[in-house]
Each structure stands twice: as C-alpha cells, then as structure tokens.
DNA sequence: GTCAACGTACCG
DNA sequence: CGGTACGTTGAC
C-alpha cells in the first residue's frame, strides 16, 4: 500500500463515535461517514491507539501487530492525492472490484494480504462493504427492507455486485438502536422504584435529539425482535381490552404503535420492572396496564386471567378465552420473522452463488448464508409446536401464578422451578424459562 | 435430509 | 401490485 499516513493517532478519528460492523459504536475504530472526504485507507491499530503498518503477504507478524489485527478497520483518509492506477495501493483500495463470494461466503484474505478467518473475515467484509459505498460514487439507489438489508430485484442484483457502500446508513441506524437499547437497559437496571419518573424525564431529555430515523429504527427493531412481536400483539390485545373496559375517558388510553399512552392507575403494582413499557420507548407517558396482565408465548399474547377479571366482566372472560384460542390457532399459521441477531441475519450481502440466490425467482428463498438460525430451527420444542389446548394449558398455569403474584408479590413460582431473587421480572423470567441471552426465549410473560 | 418449486403472508 | 421471504410439499 503506497498511501501511508504518519504513524500515531489519526486526528480525524479523535473525539468521534464511529459505527463499527454490527452497529457497535466505538470512539476509535470505524469510519466517520459524515467526514469522509478522501480515499479509503486501510490501517491497523494497536490497543494503545497507535496506528501501525503491517507487513504484506506471508510475513510473520510481531506480537503488537498480532494484537492489532483484531482492531483492523478501514477509515476514510482525508488526503486527496491520487493513487496511481494499477499500483498495489490502487488494487488494495479498489475493494469494489471484489467478487462477492469465496468458499463459504466469507472473505478469506484481508486487503493487505493477511489471513483472516471466521467472524473476523466477516466483520472486515462488513466494514468494507459499508465503507466502499461512497468510494463507488455510483448514484444507484437500492431499497432496503426493514432489517436494513439491501433488497434489489434479482435481475438487478445479479447484474452488478452489491455496491458495498450502501450499508452505512443501516449501520448508523443499527448503532442508534443499540444506543437506545443500551439506554433502556441501563435504565431498567439502575432505576429503582420511586424515582422512575425522574429518570424517565432525564432519559427523555437526553433523547430529545433523537431523530425520527432513530426512533423508527428503535421501534422497528423492537417489533422485529421476537419479544417485539409480542409487544405488538400485546398492543392489539390492549386495544381490545380498553374497548371492553368501562373507562370514562377511553380516549386517554392509547396503545398505538408508539405506545404514547397517558398514565392510568396501576392495578397490580409498580411497573418499574418494565421500563420499556412504562416509558413508551422514551417518549413519555405510561403504559396503562400492568405488564403482568399479559402472557406472551410464541403462539401469541394472552391477557392473564386476573387481568381479564379486572378489566372485563366475568361474563366476558368466556368470549375472551375463545378469542385467545382463535388467536393461538391463527398465530400457528403466522410467519415467523428473522431474529435479526444471529450472524446470518446480520449478514447483509446475498452471496449470489448459492442455490437460493441463483434460484430466487422460483425458489422464493433468502440466501442460504443469510437464513436466520432461528428460522432454520423447527418451530417445535415448546409451545409453538403444540396445539391450542397445550398452549392454553400453559396459559392457565401462568395465569394462576400471576394472579397469586398480584395478590402477594412474594408468592414463589410453581414447584419444579427454583426461586430467583430478582424481583417480579426475575420471577417471571425464571418461571417462563427465559435465559435472556439470545432473545430467542421459548415463551415469555410480561 | 436436501433440494426445488410453489403458495402465500407481509410490506412498501 | 410487485417484491421478498417463510412455510409446505413432493421428488430424490
């Protein structure tokens, strides 16, 4: 690579937060889309923040360089001197000329010639994909689906390799979502009962600058996630429940997409265990029903027995039960959605080589390398594969426990499951077998 | 079990 | 209404 910068900290990268592959924000590594003015420059960084040069093909790396390998990303270089066409540097920098598939769909070699493997190769691929977008100044605009995945008609995508540049916006959106989620998580773990409103306000103030894109990305990510899907279903159930509810001013109870609802009395207790619901995604206003009123399963969201008896008359429970059974059977047919978290989901490029890509016109299948791991699994193993009766049986089990929980917050979970000392949410999660690590919980209760 | 093809839900 | 992709089915 002929275009080298002096060693040391790159001024352009100081004091900025960059979007790294996978939507991770980082102050050091990445690329600043708003500032890119020059050419792509590949550099590697030591953990101490110094940029170093790496030997070319086949050269053994020093210890420091080995450390730096994991920190290698591209960034936009501000210099503007042209790079001689045909030179090694030009070859290295002209990443848009790569053919988009090798072996298992991973890039096996870095642009500087170093061997890479597995996720590292994939991450670098993503990084370059995002960076090169503007290098290739083509005005082609491609559509994205809700997950930020480039979606072009088959003919188009086969004609030209994906303009690797077109993922930056997605990346920033993902970073925004990650940021929002981080904020939410921080709030959920830090905010004790009683000072919730202050924190919500603070959070709200802090998020005032959130753009519409940020919010829609957040909402979209929530609704795309398994739990988010449940959230949407919960909203619908709430809407129905509020219609049955003899509330004097029902217009004040809104459970729409943004869940900007006016606070209502809390029938079961505090909702501070459920910040997502209580603060309406940082918008203000409280979720008008206690989350414990809902039982969420892969087959759908149900109102708990106690909830039904509270928000409706006992005579209406029967009707609601049959509605729930209908919903369960309807949801059995419903398409599952990509989890958006697994590596295949995070992959944004069709390999264009697998059978699904080649045969997309008739096969109607997503690229094999982008097929969600969750969708690959059979919906079996849990409530999803069972019939409505089983679902309802599980539902009643949860209901009875939730009712007892609402009567006394210290009722232990049903036998067979050891207690978990993390408040109501912990109990609920434990009772429902939620690990919380993958977001692919088999069933969940709010 | 894998693959191709088709039906169709879902979305813009 | 067209595009994408999940679910299902039948062939191998």
């Amino acid at each position: 690579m002929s275009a080298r910068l002096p060693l040391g900290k790159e001024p352009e990268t100081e004091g900025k937060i960059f979007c790294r592959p996978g939507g991770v924000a980082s102050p050091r590594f990445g690329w600043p889309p708003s500032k890119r003015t020059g050419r792509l420059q590949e550099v590697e960084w030591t953990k101490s923040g110094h940029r170093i040069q790496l030997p070319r093909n086949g050269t053994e790396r020093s210890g420091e360089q080995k450390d730096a390998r994991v920190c290698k990303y591209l960034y936009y270089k501000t210099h503007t001197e042209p790079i001689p066409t045909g030179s090694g540097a030009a070859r290295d920098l002209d990443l848009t000329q790569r053919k988009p598939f090798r072996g298992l769909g991973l890039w096996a070699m870095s642009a500087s010639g170093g061997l890479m493997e597995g996720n590292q190769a994939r991450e670098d691929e993503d990084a370059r994909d995002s960076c090169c977008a503007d290098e290739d100044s083509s005005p082609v605009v491609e559509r994205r689906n809700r997950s930020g995945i480039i979606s072009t008609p088959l003919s188009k995508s086969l004609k030209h390799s994906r303009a690797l540049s077109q993922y930056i916006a997605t990346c920033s959106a993902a970073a925004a979502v990650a940021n929002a989620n981080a904020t939410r998580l921080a709030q959920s773990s830090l905010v004790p009962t009683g000072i919730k409103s202050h924190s919500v306000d603070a959070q709200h103030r802090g998020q005032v600058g959130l753009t519409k894109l940020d919010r829609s990305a957040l909402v979209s990510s929530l609704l795309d996630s398994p739990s988010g899907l449940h959230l949407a279903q919960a909203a619908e159930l709430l809407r129905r429940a509020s219609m049955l509810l003899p509330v004097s001013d029902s217009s004040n109870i809104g459970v729409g997409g943004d869940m900007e609802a006016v606070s209502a009395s809390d029938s079961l207790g505090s909702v501070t265990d459920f910040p997502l619901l209580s603060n309406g995604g940082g918008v203000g206003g409280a979720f008008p029903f206690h989350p414990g009123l809902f039982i969420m399963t892969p087959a759908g969201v149900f109102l708990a027995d106690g909830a039904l008896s509270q928000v409706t008359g006992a005579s209406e429970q029967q009707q609601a039960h049959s509605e729930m059974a209908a919903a369960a059977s309807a949801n059995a047919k419903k398409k599952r959605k990509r989890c958006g978290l697994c590596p295949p989901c995070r992959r944004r490029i069709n390999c264009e080589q697998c059978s699904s890509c080649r045969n997309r016109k008739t096969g109607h299948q997503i690229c094999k390398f982008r097929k969600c791991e969750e969708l690959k699994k059979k919906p079996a193993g849990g409530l999803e594969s069972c019939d409505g009766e089983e679902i309802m049986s599980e539902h009643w089990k949860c209901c009875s426990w939730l009712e007892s929980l609402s009567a006394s917050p210290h009722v232990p979970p049903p036998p067979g499951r050891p207690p978990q000392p993390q408040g109501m949410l912990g109990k609920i999660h434990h009772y429902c077998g939620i690990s919380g690590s993958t977001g692919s919980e088999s069933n969940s209760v709010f």
Side-chain angles (χ1 to χ4, degrees):
Chain A
M1 189 175 300
S2 66
R4 300 278 189 196
L5 288 180
L7 294 181
K9 209 163 212 175
E10 174 59 39
E12 184 185 351
T13 67
E14 283 181 348
K16 296 184 175 63
I17 302 295
F18 301 125
C19 177
R20 293 175 54 185
V24 178
S26 165
R28 177 164 297 164
F29 309 111
W31 54 93
S34 59
K35 291 278 289 180
R36 56 180 181 274
T37 55
R39 296 178 172 280
L40 276 175
Q41 167 79 55
E42 186 181 21
V43 296
E44 297 193 9
W45 302 79
T46 66
K47 287 175 179 173
S48 56
H50 293 312
R51 195 161 59 82
I52 62 171
Q53 299 179 5
L54 291 183
R56 302 298 296 266
N57 287 352
T59 313
E60 182 63 26
R61 295 165 187 266
S62 70
E64 185 186 38
Q65 288 167 344
K66 280 174 183 168
D67 282 346
R69 194 166 75 99
V70 299
C71 304
K72 185 154 72 64
Y73 287 97
L74 295 168
Y75 75 100
Y76 273 88
K77 184 172 178 295
T78 52
H79 76 101
T80 54
E81 71 266 21
I83 298 175
T85 311
S87 69
R91 272 197 311 276
D92 283 346
L93 296 180
D94 189 10
L95 300 172
T96 62
Q97 296 304 310
R98 299 175 310 160
K99 295 290 181 290
F101 181 79
R102 286 179 199 168
L104 289 176
L106 305 180
W107 293 100
M109 301 286 284
S110 74
S112 59
L115 273 171
M116 295 189 297
E117 65 216 10
N119 290 336
Q120 176 61 25
R122 193 157 32 206
E123 274 209 355
D124 269 24
E125 173 195 359
D126 280 351
R128 285 173 200 155
D129 288 352
S130 303
C131 292
C132 294
D134 291 72
E135 193 70 4
D136 171 11
S137 56
S138 152
V140 174
V141 176
E142 287 186 315
R143 292 174 47 209
R144 259 173 244 271
N145 65 16
R146 279 157 294 130
S147 308
I149 293 168
I150 299 291
S151 56
T152 51
L154 177 63
S155 54
K156 211 159 111 190
S157 61
L158 286 179
K159 273 180 191 164
H160 56 87
S161 205
R162 188 79 59 215
L164 298 174
S165 44
Q166 293 154 18
Y167 301 101
I168 288 177
T170 300
C171 216
S172 11
V177 169
N179 195 24
N181 282 339
T183 306
R184 180 170 56 80
L185 283 176
Q187 186 197 0
S188 73
S189 60
L190 293 177
V191 178
T193 306
I195 61 169
K196 186 198 104 200
S197 59
H198 290 243
S199 303
V200 169
D201 285 348
Q203 187 196 12
H204 188 191
R205 280 194 298 274
Q207 291 182 341
V208 155
L210 223 57
T211 64
K212 193 176 180 181
L213 170 66
D214 295 334
R215 283 187 51 194
S216 62
L218 172 60
V219 171
S220 165
S221 79
L222 286 173
L223 294 183
D224 273 349
S225 71
S227 56
L229 188 62
H230 292 153
L231 203 58
Q233 294 170 328
E236 171 61 17
L237 270 175
L238 276 172
R239 192 183 60 76
R240 294 186 194 178
S242 63
M243 291 191 319
L244 295 172
L245 193 62
V247 179
S248 56
D249 185 5
S250 61
S251 66
N252 278 349
I253 300 180
V255 286
D258 258 357
M259 302 212 296
E260 298 187 48
V262 176
S263 177
S265 66
D266 200 347
S267 60
L268 285 179
S270 165
V271 295
T272 49
D273 276 337
F274 306 91
L276 178 64
L277 296 178
S278 62
N279 68 12
V283 182
F287 200 56
F289 297 91
H290 192 281
L293 299 183
F294 300 96
I295 294 172
M296 300 191 177
T297 74
V301 179
F302 307 104
L303 275 174
D305 253 358
L308 284 172
S309 58
Q310 287 180 36
V311 301
T312 72
S315 61
E316 287 163 332
Q317 285 193 33
Q318 199 84 28
Q319 178 191 349
H321 289 172
S322 58
E323 266 195 40
M324 285 188 282
S329 62
N331 270 310
K333 281 187 210 164
K334 207 164 188 180
K335 282 184 175 181
R336 293 179 296 164
K337 289 192 171 182
R338 320 174 72 202
C339 72
L341 300 173
C342 64
C345 280
R346 291 170 60 185
R347 186 179 173 85
R348 294 184 182 122
I349 304 177
N350 289 330
C351 73
E352 310 292 6
Q353 307 274 329
C354 69
S355 60
S356 295
C357 286
R358 291 194 315 258
N359 199 24
R360 185 161 294 123
K361 210 67 168 182
T362 54
H364 304 167
Q365 287 295 312
I366 191 172
C367 171
K368 285 185 187 304
F369 300 110
R370 290 175 50 205
K371 181 74 174 180
C372 175
E373 300 284 359
E374 292 301 317
L375 293 177
K376 282 179 191 169
K377 297 174 190 167
K378 289 278 181 189
L383 297 177
E384 249 174 71
S385 66
C386 60
D387 59 20
E389 294 241 317
E390 199 172 342
I391 291 172
M392 295 309 288
S393 142
E394 194 72 16
H395 161 61
W396 303 134
K397 215 165 69 183
C398 289
C399 285
S400 57
W401 176 63
L402 278 169
E403 269 201 332
S404 61
L405 194 64
S406 69
S408 160
H410 300 298
V411 172
R417 314 220 185 200
Q420 192 159 349
Q422 291 186 353
M424 184 174 171
L425 187 59
K427 286 183 198 169
I428 291 172
H429 278 196
H430 189 271
Y431 174 70
C432 297
I434 298 172
S435 67
S437 58
T438 63
S440 60
E441 55 266 19
S442 58
N443 57 357
S444 57
V445 171
F446 267 174

